[in-house]
Amino acid sequence: MPFYTERKIRLKYQKPKGTADVLPDTSRLWDYVETKSRQIFDRYRFGEIRVPMFESYDLYARSSGDTSDIVTKEMYDFHDKGDRHMALRPEGTAGVVRAFVENKLYGPEYPKPYRVYYMGPMFRYERPQSGRQREFHQIGVEAFGSESPLLDTEVIQLGVDLLHAVGVHDLRLAINTLGDPATRDAYHQALVDYFAPHRAELSEDSQIRLEKNPLRILDSKDPRDKVFVKDAPSILDYLTPAAQNHFAAVKTALDGLNIDYTVDPTMVRGLDYYNHTIFEIMTSSPAFGNKELTVLAGGRYDGLVEQFGGPATPGVGFGIGLERLILLVQQAQQLPPAPDLNVYIVSLNDQAGEEALRLAHAIRNAGFTVDMDFMARKAKGQFKTANRENAQLVITLGEDELANQVASIKQMATGKQQQVPFNTVENNFQSIYQHLVEEGEQE
Ligand code: HAM
């Protein structure tokens, strides 16, 4: 059997579980959301940063935390051909912080706070479901170098603005604080004291968490843990005065901006690098089967730059789940219109096809969208295609046109028709378009 036949029979590829193909109809929506986001980022003076999609396993493992789901269950890690332990990025913050330190972006020549945004794929080996994939995308921001609670608030405001800008309004903002290191130590002890007598009744995972990071028990979905979690001590009772002041200032600033929020003292977040303010924006949309899902989440991570070998530098940021956001935008019916097709060129024979190719190129160079036939359709089929694609103008090229070197141009909305020499089409399409379409619309 020849090789190619064998391949044809045997190979039936499917996309990997938990990934998605974004086809042109939907990618227009992605483009819309990304473009709107960039406009908002410009207004807030955030510049784009692009960092690698994979880095050393250690980088993600250390920053996310040994007991996080990301590290224990979800990392796409591998040994490369040089036997380096690498991982596909599960989130954006670690790579950006690494870049901040490696490029010495804390130096005096850089603006302060140093503010960046990113968009791109992230990878987590999770069980796929609505709004949860293994390859997913985030739009994220990070702001370095200021401890001010006003920056926490500004970052939250930026997130809210962005969601509003793409037409997503029905939102619930929940905030909490994880305090400073002294708060964490005191609260850590309080949690150990509280959970230790119930150790044997906790899930196996939480028994380990009790040793390594009791805070993480609060995030457990296991019913055996939930029984005890609901009466666990609240971190708000363990805040140092400094941590209390920071949180109070964030709340006051949110009030000043008329941003509604609820304080959720049980919120801990799935990553270990946070301290002080943490926040999530949730929405329960029919797009998610009316389940409440988090579309944006983030917080402050004041020790992370130092942990990565940089000077002590505070940081705050968030990540938006782009797939989730797209579902919401789709639900809100904010579909951008399909781009107009300015010109369709109908060619009635082979030679006309070659001329069509030349004219199409010239008209595109003048800034217009052009399509033509590549399927050897009969004239009727080509006109049908032009109609289906909503062409504003149709140029017809047949024997007569070639002989006289003129194009027959028809304005589809009015039926108005005109003969125009090829070289005018090539050199001055702008005026033809103005005359036929723009003036036609005013009539
Ligand atoms: P995160 O909460 O792990 O935070 O993820 C942020 C958002 O990404 C989630 O709220 C969700 O919308 C989306 N997301 C997470 N996992 C998936 C998934 N498997 N499928 C679809 N969407 C998902 C972070 O990643 C932090 N780096 C955010 C941050 C930036 N904090 C400070 N700066």
Side-chain angles (χ1 to χ4, degrees):
M1 196 188 315
F3 176 65
Y4 62 84
T5 321
E6 194 180 338
R7 276 172 66 100
K8 218 167 165 182
I9 294 167
R10 287 229 194 119
L11 299 181
K12 246 192 170 174
Y13 293 118
Q14 287 185 329
K15 62 182 178 298
K17 192 172 168 187
T19 66
D21 299 318
V22 180
L23 305 179
D25 254 4
T26 316
S27 66
R28 270 199 301 123
L29 204 57
W30 284 61
D31 188 37
Y32 165 77
V33 170
E34 289 165 2
T35 304
K36 285 270 180 195
S37 306
R38 286 178 201 282
Q39 286 166 1
I40 305 277
F41 292 141
D42 275 353
R43 286 185 210 158
Y44 279 82
R45 310 280 290 163
F46 281 64
E48 184 173 10
I49 187 165
R50 300 186 189 208
V51 296
M53 249 173 276
F54 64 90
E55 307 232 16
S56 87
Y57 172 86
D58 233 36
L59 176 88
Y60 302 123
R62 283 224 203 136
S63 51
S64 300
D66 290 348
T67 50
S68 65
D69 280 354
I70 287 185
V71 174
T72 55
K73 303 175 188 157
E74 298 170 0
M75 204 87 98
Y76 270 96
D77 62 324
F78 58 98
H79 288 268
D80 72 8
K81 290 187 180 2
D83 207 30
R84 298 173 197 88
H85 194 184
M86 312 302 287
L88 303 185
R89 64 179 180 197
E91 58 105 35
T93 310
V96 172
V97 172
R98 197 264 315 131
F100 181 80
V101 173
E102 189 169 340
N103 295 287
K104 299 192 171 59
L105 302 175
Y106 44 78
E109 65 273 42
Y110 294 104
K112 282 190 179 50
Y114 191 81
R115 288 171 287 198
V116 291
Y117 74 87
Y118 48 89
M119 303 178 178
M122 312 283 160
F123 306 86
R124 296 184 194 177
Y125 192 80
E126 297 199 74
R127 183 158 349 129
Q129 47 186 284
S130 161
R132 187 172 297 284
Q133 293 180 187
R134 290 184 175 170
E135 182 188 29
F136 64 101
H137 296 72
Q138 279 186 356
I139 296 182
V141 304
E142 314 294 351
F144 297 96
S146 166
E147 278 182 342
S148 169
L150 295 184
L151 188 61
D152 307 25
T153 314
E154 159 129 315
V155 163
I156 294 172
Q157 170 81 82
L158 162 59
V160 172
D161 266 7
L162 195 161
L163 297 173
H164 287 174
V166 293
V168 176
H169 291 278
D170 202 4
L171 306 167
R172 188 169 78 82
L173 166 67
I175 61 170
N176 191 23
T177 175
L178 296 176
D180 47 23
T183 304
R184 285 288 273 276
D185 289 347
Y187 189 50
H188 179 111
Q189 194 52 51
L191 290 176
V192 171
D193 293 346
Y194 172 78
F195 283 115
H198 308 294
R199 182 188 307 267
E201 296 152 89
L202 295 174
S203 69
E204 295 73 28
D205 279 352
S206 284
Q207 293 186 20
I208 298 169
R209 291 175 184 133
L210 186 54
E211 298 301 321
K212 291 191 171 172
N213 187 357
L215 197 71
R216 201 136 293 302
I217 301 175
L218 302 182
D219 211 18
S220 170
K221 308 279 178 292
D222 194 303
R224 287 171 289 176
D225 301 330
K226 279 186 165 175
V227 183
F228 299 106
V229 167
K230 70 178 179 358
D231 296 320
S234 163
I235 190 155
L236 300 181
D237 296 328
Y238 294 85
L239 299 179
T240 59
Q244 243 167 30
N245 287 342
H246 187 97
F247 196 43
V250 171
K251 289 189 288 184
T252 307
L254 286 172
D255 291 336
L257 291 169
N258 285 322
I259 298 178
D260 281 339
Y261 59 87
T262 49
V263 175
D264 176 359
T266 63
M267 185 204 296
V268 291
R269 309 273 303 113
L271 296 147
D272 274 1
Y273 47 63
Y274 291 111
N275 42 46
H276 287 293
T277 323
I278 52 174
F279 51 88
E280 297 194 355
I281 297 183
M282 285 151 286
T283 175
S284 56
S285 153
F288 310 141
N290 290 316
K291 260 191 331 199
E292 191 169 66
L293 273 189
T294 304
V295 64
L296 176 156
R300 195 164 256 292
Y301 47 86
D302 288 352
L304 198 54
V305 172
E306 216 174 345
Q307 193 189 321
F308 280 12
T313 307
V316 56
F318 66 68
I320 292 178
L322 193 46
E323 280 78 3
R324 294 181 189 188
L325 182 55
I326 299 281
L327 283 172
L328 292 171
V329 174
Q330 244 162 355
Q331 193 72 32
Q333 302 278 319
Q334 286 260 330
L335 282 168
D340 282 335
L341 176 62
N342 301 127
V343 182
Y344 190 93
I345 308 182
V346 171
S347 43
L348 302 180
N349 57 40
D350 286 351
Q351 209 194 335
E354 283 166 30
E355 186 58 42
L357 208 56
R358 257 175 17 84
L359 291 184
H361 180 235
I363 300 170
R364 285 182 188 128
N365 274 347
F368 296 89
T369 56
V370 186
D371 203 357
M372 58 177 275
D373 180 61
F374 295 97
M375 308 306 296
R377 290 185 186 95
K378 300 214 162 58
K380 201 170 146 199
Q382 294 187 44
F383 280 109
K384 243 170 126 173
T385 310
N387 271 325
R388 204 176 39 231
E389 289 196 42
N390 246 332
Q392 294 173 302
L393 299 175
V394 171
I395 296 181
T396 307
L397 302 178
E399 256 171 52
D400 290 351
E401 282 81 6
L402 289 185
N404 300 322
Q405 294 285 292
V406 292
S408 304
I409 308 184
K410 181 171 174 184
Q411 200 221 340
M412 298 304 274
T414 59
K416 205 155 97 180
Q417 206 147 343
Q418 205 170 348
Q419 304 268 317
V420 183
F422 282 172
N423 65 21
T424 313
V425 173
E426 281 175 64
N427 299 321
N428 201 3
F429 193 77
Q430 184 73 41
S431 68
I432 301 172
Y433 184 83
Q434 250 164 15
H435 177 62
L436 280 175
V437 177
E438 289 167 8
E439 289 169 20
E441 276 165 5
Q442 284 158 20
E443 274 169 20

